[in-house]
Amino acid sequence: MKKTLAHAVAGVALAGLVVLGSAAPALAAEAAPNDVVVVDEPDTSDLNNIWTFAPLGVPVFGLIQSLNGVPGRLLPS
């Protein structure tokens, strides 16, 4: 019983260390709130084609075009 309890305590302690270790970068970023970071807007002028227009979360027109080309690639001419 004591061995099982010791394993459980060690497991919980190890899990806590992992959580705190993964939170360290976020906590370090909080340490310097006066630093100003300037991020430029991305260039999106090239993103108006059938592969990037995705009203449903999937580029529908590009997907249809790709699926239409599958039989020609699978079957020899």
Side-chain angles (χ1 to χ4, degrees):
M1 179 74 177
K2 287 184 181 182
K3 194 174 188 178
T4 305
L5 183 61
H7 282 222
V9 169
V12 168
L14 185 59
L17 287 174
V18 168
V19 169
L20 287 177
S22 63
L27 294 174
E30 288 285 326
N34 294 332
D35 293 343
V36 176
V37 177
V38 178
V39 178
D40 197 16
E41 291 186 19
D43 178 24
T44 57
S45 61
D46 261 353
L47 295 179
N48 295 325
N49 60 30
I50 62 172
W51 294 103
T52 57
F53 177 69
L56 302 175
V58 176
V60 179
F61 300 124
L63 181 65
I64 292 170
Q65 181 185 17
S66 178
L67 291 176
N68 280 340
V70 168
R73 293 183 185 142
L74 291 178
L75 302 172
S77 344

